Amino acid sequence: MPNKMERFTQRARRVLSLAQEAAVALNSSLIDTEHLLLGLMGEEESIASRALIAAGIKRSQVEDLARAASGTKPARSPQPDLSPRSKKTLELAVDEARRLSHHTIGSEHLLLGLLRLPEGAALDILRQLNVNPEQIRQQVAIIMQERPSSHPRLEVPRSFAHPAPSHYDYFLLRATSRTSGEISHLAVDLSAEVKNALEEALKEVGAAGFLLLDERHLLLGMLQNRASPLRRLLLDANVDLDEFIRQLRNPDEG
């Protein structure tokens, strides 16, 4: 398990512990996404478990399909480590908490992170059960609205309720009421140009082999649009765009 778990709630840590137990029980050499799914269902009364049950998923069904997905090979260790996809799930869970302005990572963030994976045994199980990941995302949003918690109350982003081409469909705007002083979070839609720039920025991150998107990647993403005002502004200032882009991609060489 990762060493830096201070931001993970007790429920989230329990989910990971249950996932490890599931991997051992199924003789798996790694804690993979199907085991995370079992761990999420096993932590009863958590937001994740409630959302999965509300979507019509039964633990017994997941157990049967996870057993088939895990195969029959014996585990190499009594304490299996996280698979690459499971590690990616944890990274995405941290990102989900950040996007929602939550300071801790709970079971709901683990579930949302799991649903953002492009593939894996957990998603295969959901498909076999005829459950759309967007259904689960919607259930998570509904339960988060209903459940009292230490997190600020959120407006449900539209991209939770409807399929979207990208997971960067909104940002949460922190707005403070002038009368009550209360903080609310409102979903702010992004323009098509901004979404495209973010997608291009993500490609730059992947090409560089990083897991952190910074302002250099955002600039590179914006510069991919030949009609962007930023590109025109730099050209008007007689900036050598080819050299500028090279320096952005290779800052250590500059």
Side-chain angles (χ1 to χ4, degrees):
M1 296 293 178
N3 293 325
K4 296 182 179 180
M5 299 290 292
E6 60 272 9
R7 290 184 58 202
F8 284 70
T9 65
Q10 288 298 321
R11 283 194 184 277
R13 297 184 195 190
R14 176 65 177 161
V15 166
L16 296 176
S17 178
L18 290 172
Q20 186 178 62
E21 292 176 11
V24 172
L26 294 173
N27 292 324
S28 176
S29 58
L30 290 171
I31 304 169
D32 217 331
T33 57
E34 67 269 27
H35 309 122
L36 288 179
L37 186 58
L38 280 170
L40 288 164
M41 294 208 73
E43 182 57 15
E44 299 177 359
E45 298 305 315
S46 68
I47 293 177
S49 179
R50 290 175 58 194
L52 290 166
I53 292 172
I57 300 173
K58 296 180 180 179
R59 181 179 171 83
S60 59
Q61 295 173 315
V62 176
E63 286 178 343
D64 291 341
L65 294 171
R67 187 174 291 106
S70 292
T72 58
K73 292 182 179 180
R76 293 191 295 269
S77 168
Q79 292 186 329
D81 196 6
L82 293 169
S83 71
R85 285 196 183 102
S86 292
K87 291 178 181 178
K88 184 63 177 178
T89 298
L90 265 61
E91 293 177 11
L92 293 173
V94 173
D95 184 63
E96 287 291 334
R98 178 191 61 78
R99 291 169 60 198
L100 292 169
S101 297
H102 292 173
H103 299 297
T104 58
I105 296 102
S107 68
E108 62 272 31
H109 306 114
L110 288 173
L111 178 55
L112 292 172
L114 185 65
L115 296 175
R116 276 175 57 182
L117 292 175
E119 58 184 358
L123 294 181
D124 290 340
I125 288 173
L126 295 180
R127 293 189 192 101
Q128 292 178 66
L129 295 175
N130 295 317
V131 176
N132 188 320
E134 289 300 325
Q135 293 176 250
I136 303 174
R137 288 177 62 88
Q138 185 173 6
Q139 290 297 333
V140 170
I142 291 171
I143 295 170
M144 286 171 64
Q145 286 289 97
E146 295 174 348
R147 184 183 180 93
S149 71
S150 59
H151 299 315
R153 187 169 179 82
L154 304 178
E155 296 292 332
V156 180
R158 278 177 286 175
S159 59
F160 267 52
H162 303 288
S166 166
H167 49 266
Y168 286 98
D169 290 312
Y170 66 90
F171 280 110
L172 292 177
L173 175 67
R174 291 172 60 91
T176 304
S177 171
R178 293 182 179 179
T179 55
S180 65
E182 293 182 357
I183 295 176
S184 61
H185 293 71
L186 304 175
V188 179
D189 285 334
L190 305 183
S191 68
E193 291 77 13
V194 171
K195 290 179 185 178
N196 288 337
L198 285 169
E199 290 299 327
E200 292 296 331
L202 286 174
K203 292 178 184 177
E204 293 288 342
V205 173
F210 295 150
L211 290 178
L212 177 67
L213 185 150
D214 62 24
E215 64 274 12
R216 292 184 299 108
H217 305 119
L218 290 175
L219 275 172
L220 286 166
M222 288 186 287
L223 290 173
Q224 297 306 311
N225 180 4
R226 294 188 174 276
S228 73
L230 174 62
R231 190 181 180 94
R232 290 200 302 270
L233 182 66
L234 292 174
L235 288 172
D236 289 344
N238 296 319
V239 173
D240 184 338
L241 282 183
D242 290 337
E243 177 62 18
F244 185 54
I245 289 173
R246 188 193 68 79
Q247 291 184 18
L248 287 174
R249 286 177 174 159
N250 304 283
D252 296 336
E253 297 179 7

